[in-house]
């Protein structure tokens, strides 16, 4: 089982105040995010699940996957979702030179901009694994990126987590303004495809709306 909690402790958020962990609001709004796509096996299914509840979300895309599946990126945008940068090769910031890390982000940004011809890609960035050096974060902030972390981890990618536990990680913790992490990846598909429809139904019945991140 994972050693880190599903909900990020307040003390961690305060340690990194320049990163975005949630969206403070009194409104019943939740921000679903999906990492590691686009993937033909899972992303189209995810889009259909969101559409059933008129939910909008944010997809943090890997540059290499965008190059291989540009049509799925277009589908994400056509459905009104936001997209963000998740590096080109899903690199771990802690193990990567800062210059190489920034180059990964810039390369992915160029691919996103060339594929979509719009400002939809905006300036959203999520570090793979949540692992980013202070030097990398500082440079990205100077480049006007919003570094998006999370309030809730579903742990959908973790094979030791059951689908039921994945669901419970979200519905037991998420509330107004929570940023929730799922993955539109093959590895996470078992848990995500079980939990996502139930999360959408659970919070819709409680009067919540699902919005894409926008700054």
């Amino acid at each position: 089982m994972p050693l880190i909690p599903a909900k990020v402790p307040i003390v961690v958020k305060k340690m990194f105040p320049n990163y975005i962990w949630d969206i403070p609001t009194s409104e019943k709004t939740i921000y679903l995010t999906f990492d590691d796509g686009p993937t033909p096996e899972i992303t189209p299914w995810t889009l259909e699940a969101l559409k059933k509840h008129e939910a909008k979300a944010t997809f943090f895309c890997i540059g290499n996957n965008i190059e291989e599946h540009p049509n799925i990126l277009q589908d994400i945008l056509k459905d009104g979702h936001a997209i963000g940068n998740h590096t080109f090769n899903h690199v771990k910031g802690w193990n990567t030179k800062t210059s190489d890390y920034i180059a990964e982000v810039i390369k992915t940004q160029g691919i996103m901009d060339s594929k979509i011809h719009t400002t939809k890609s905006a300036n959203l960035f999520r570090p793979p694994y949540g692992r980013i050096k202070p030097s990398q974060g500082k440079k990205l902030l100077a480049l006007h990126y919003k570094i998006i972390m999370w309030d809730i981890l579903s742990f959908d990618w973790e094979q030791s987590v059951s689908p039921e536990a994945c669901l419970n990680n979200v519905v037991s913790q998420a509330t107004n303004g929570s940023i929730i992490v799922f993955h539109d990846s093959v590895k996470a598909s078992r848990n995500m495809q079980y939990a996502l429809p139930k999360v959408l139904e659970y919070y819709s019945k409680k009067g919540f709306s699902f919005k894409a991140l926008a700054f």
Side-chain angles (χ1 to χ4, degrees):
M1 292 294 289
L3 296 177
I4 57 177
K7 187 173 180 69
V8 176
I10 293 175
V11 65
V12 174
K13 296 178 181 180
K14 289 184 176 180
M15 287 172 61
F16 302 97
N18 291 327
Y19 302 165
I20 296 168
W21 300 90
D22 52 34
I23 307 296
T25 180
S26 59
E27 297 180 358
K28 287 187 170 184
T29 304
I30 280 178
Y31 297 87
L32 296 172
T33 65
F34 298 88
D35 292 2
D36 297 357
T39 54
E41 298 89 348
I42 305 300
T43 307
W45 178 92
T46 304
L47 294 175
E48 287 304 310
L50 293 170
K51 196 176 296 183
K52 290 176 183 177
H53 290 270
E54 299 182 349
K56 303 304 178 188
T58 305
F59 289 77
F60 288 93
C61 300
I62 296 173
N64 186 50
N65 287 349
I66 295 173
E67 283 196 328
E68 292 184 4
H69 310 292
N71 57 314
I72 303 179
L73 185 77
Q74 295 293 341
D75 291 339
I76 291 170
L77 293 169
K78 280 189 284 189
D79 281 358
H81 304 294
I83 59 173
N85 191 318
H86 203 46
T87 74
F88 186 80
N89 288 305
H90 202 260
V91 293
K92 294 181 180 179
W94 295 352
N95 301 337
T96 308
K97 286 174 53 179
T98 294
S99 58
D100 292 340
Y101 194 80
I102 302 304
E104 283 253 346
V105 177
I106 291 173
K107 180 178 181 178
T108 299
Q109 196 68 46
I111 293 166
M112 292 166 71
D113 293 344
S114 69
K115 298 295 183 186
I116 63 180
H117 306 293
T118 176
T119 57
K120 269 278 188 182
S121 59
N123 56 347
L124 307 181
F125 174 76
R126 171 170 286 158
Y129 312 99
R131 297 175 182 175
I132 183 169
K133 295 176 183 176
S135 59
Q136 295 161 349
K138 184 177 181 180
K139 286 186 177 294
L140 289 172
L141 291 170
L143 291 170
H144 306 293
Y145 280 93
K146 302 289 186 183
I147 299 176
I148 311 297
M149 302 302 276
W150 54 79
D151 183 37
I152 305 291
L153 284 173
S154 69
F155 286 101
D156 55 349
W157 77 92
E158 179 56 64
Q159 299 304 300
S160 66
V161 171
S162 69
E164 293 80 8
C166 175
L167 172 63
N168 188 62
N169 285 336
V170 178
V171 299
S172 68
Q173 302 278 5
T175 186
N176 300 12
S178 286
I179 297 174
I180 300 169
V181 178
F182 283 108
H183 293 77
D184 53 329
S185 67
V186 173
K187 182 178 181 180
S189 61
R190 179 195 65 159
N191 286 347
M192 196 273 281
Q193 289 181 298
Y194 174 86
L196 179 60
K198 292 175 172 59
V199 166
L200 289 164
E201 182 177 2
Y202 178 85
Y203 283 102
S204 294
K205 286 182 176 178
K206 288 182 172 291
F208 280 78
S209 60
F210 301 90
K211 294 183 180 180
L213 292 166
F215 298 92

